[in-house]
Amino acid sequence: MNVLQKAAACCVKTIPRNVLLRHSSHFVYQPDAKPPVEGPTQKMNMFQAINQAMDIALEQNESALVFGEDVAFGGVFRCSMGLQKKYGKSRVFNTPLCEQGIAGFAIGVANTGAKAIAEMQFADYIFPAFDQIVNEAAKYRYRSGNLYDCGSLTFRAPCGAVGHGACYHSQSPEAYFAHTPGLKVVVPRGPNKAKGLLLACVKDNDPCIVFEPKTLYRAAVEEVPVAAFESPIGKADVLRTGTDITLIGWGTQIHVLQEVAGMAKQQFDVSCEVIDLVSILPWDKETICNSVKKTGRALIAHEAPLTNGFGAELAATIQEECFLHLESPVLRVTGWDTPFPHVFEPFYIPDKHRCLAGIRKLIDY
């Protein structure tokens, strides 16, 4: 045995079997308790559910197109895998590396009545297309006096922390687009929501953006109905009922909050109501406000930076609508007002420890 082999053997021997090692994921995935509709189901991860949704859209609509950077071979996250082989190069195809061009082409296609499903390879790179989406797609119906619209246009964009993405592959830009009348913006928490929301967006009368938390593509696994179904846009989901505090999040963060709710009950005997906002624009004001009026406290958590994150809109509305019911100020637990870091990602994200500390702060107020 040489020196390197001896060193490796020593290292292996010094790690006890019962020691917990750190993993890149900052959350424990919580699958939905039951499928959203009755019927046969299939075990899928999130990218498989998205693939099936696009398959259904292409099958049901002869005009439907899927396009974007590298989608022909399946895309970097494999969401469009096998679709070009099944539907041909004229319906599933690659585009140049030009997000503005992708969006502009998508708008033109949608205005002819075709179902356009355009992929932005990463949400971080959607900004070159910002003008096309915000000033063209969102306003087409209004400025044409309802003669034309982009109602058959859906953008897909992988977003959020992934453990190693750093500043150009980890951002959550939903708040930028939530300030734009004419758009709809949704964020799925897992395979069932991803499939249902994508199919709902494809059929919607307004242009839609689906921000897909990329860390969930493989980590999220559920029993998903094989048949087509739609999840309502603009409707939040109450995942856990409680009486003491309302926890609000979306995407990956909702799994952090579900774990935190269990920790709060065990450590503080605090009953948490957990709500997945699901839809950023429009958002479910009624469900949120009814919950906060019942619990008297609200904690909002998201990965995007604090300042002008979408949590600020929720907090302002809760303050306006629920002021006389509040037992403490509305608290936001978010990413910091810095570029998204690489090696310091664990300190940036609003993990369970920061969220649990926030709950304690609200209860002790």
Side-chain angles (χ1 to χ4, degrees):
M1 182 180 291
N2 61 33
V3 174
L4 289 177
Q5 288 173 326
K6 288 181 180 179
C10 290
C11 289
V12 171
K13 289 177 182 178
T14 56
I15 301 175
R17 291 180 179 270
N18 61 346
V19 169
L20 293 176
L21 301 178
R22 180 188 177 275
H23 299 282
S24 60
S25 295
H26 63 284
F27 65 96
V28 177
Y29 180 71
Q30 305 279 343
D32 287 353
K34 61 179 182 179
V37 296
E38 299 293 332
T41 63
Q42 183 179 341
K43 192 174 184 179
M44 300 182 197
N45 60 28
M46 198 168 87
F47 89 74
Q48 291 170 325
I50 292 167
N51 179 275
Q52 190 180 75
M54 290 193 289
D55 191 354
I56 291 170
L58 288 162
E59 184 177 35
Q60 291 182 343
N61 304 277
E62 291 186 358
S63 69
L65 303 174
V66 173
F67 51 92
E69 298 164 7
D70 300 322
V71 301
F73 77 87
V76 294
F77 294 107
R78 320 308 291 154
C79 291
S80 56
M81 189 165 55
L83 295 181
Q84 187 184 76
K85 183 177 181 180
K86 185 173 182 179
Y87 294 100
K89 295 182 179 180
S90 63
R91 298 186 65 195
V92 181
F93 50 87
N94 290 336
T95 64
L97 303 181
C98 177
E99 286 76 15
Q100 186 177 17
I102 294 170
F105 175 77
I107 292 167
V109 166
N111 270 278
T112 69
K115 299 290 186 183
I117 305 174
E119 178 183 302
M120 298 290 170
Q121 195 168 84
F122 288 90
D124 312 67
Y125 300 144
I126 201 170
F127 299 114
F130 195 79
D131 177 64
Q132 289 289 331
I133 297 171
V134 169
N135 276 333
E136 303 297 336
K139 296 176 174 62
Y140 229 103
R141 186 194 306 278
Y142 176 80
R143 70 188 182 95
S144 70
N146 205 32
L147 292 176
Y148 307 100
D149 65 78
C150 295
S152 52
L153 170 57
T154 302
F155 292 103
R156 294 180 43 252
C159 69
V162 70
H164 51 265
C167 59
Y168 289 134
H169 297 83
S170 303
Q171 297 177 75
S172 297
E174 64 272 7
Y176 291 99
F177 297 95
H179 198 62
T180 307
L183 292 179
K184 292 184 178 176
V185 181
V186 297
V187 186
R189 65 174 178 269
N192 278 305
K193 275 295 170 184
K195 179 178 177 179
L197 287 171
L198 182 52
L199 288 174
C201 288
V202 168
K203 292 186 177 181
D204 199 82
N205 291 325
D206 292 304
C208 299
I209 304 176
V210 185
F211 285 115
E212 301 163 359
K214 67 179 78 70
T215 193
L216 297 180
Y217 278 135
R218 289 170 174 78
V221 179
E222 290 176 336
E223 289 292 332
V224 180
V226 175
F229 66 92
E230 297 175 29
S231 296
I233 298 172
K235 181 63 178 174
D237 292 337
V238 180
L239 302 180
R240 177 174 178 147
T241 58
T243 58
D244 299 325
I245 184 170
T246 300
L247 309 181
I248 307 164
W250 50 90
T252 307
Q253 194 62 30
I254 204 66
H255 303 293
V256 176
L257 293 179
Q258 289 197 80
E259 183 180 4
V260 168
M263 296 168 65
K265 183 62 178 177
Q266 183 180 27
Q267 297 182 30
F268 309 146
D269 194 27
V270 170
S271 175
C272 299
E273 184 145 297
V274 180
I275 300 179
D276 180 2
L277 194 62
V278 179
S279 180
I280 303 296
L281 189 68
W283 65 278
D284 191 350
K285 177 178 173 181
E286 181 180 6
T287 296
I288 297 298
C289 290
N290 285 344
S291 175
V292 176
K293 287 177 182 178
K294 177 181 68 173
T295 65
R297 301 174 182 87
L299 183 148
I300 304 160
H302 57 69
E303 291 181 11
L306 175 71
T307 301
N308 291 324
F310 194 68
E313 173 65 21
L314 300 180
T317 301
I318 291 170
Q319 186 274 336
E320 290 176 357
E321 300 292 331
C322 310
F323 182 74
L324 296 179
H325 299 267
L326 291 175
E327 299 289 343
S328 65
V330 179
L331 182 65
R332 290 174 289 159
V333 183
T334 70
W336 305 108
D337 287 342
T338 69
F340 201 105
H342 186 196
V343 67
F344 295 120
E345 178 177 309
F347 304 102
Y348 181 91
I349 54 178
D351 63 10
K352 62 184 179 182
H353 305 294
R354 289 177 59 198
C355 291
L356 186 64
I359 291 174
R360 184 60 184 264
K361 181 178 180 180
L362 294 182
I363 294 298
D364 290 344
Y365 180 79

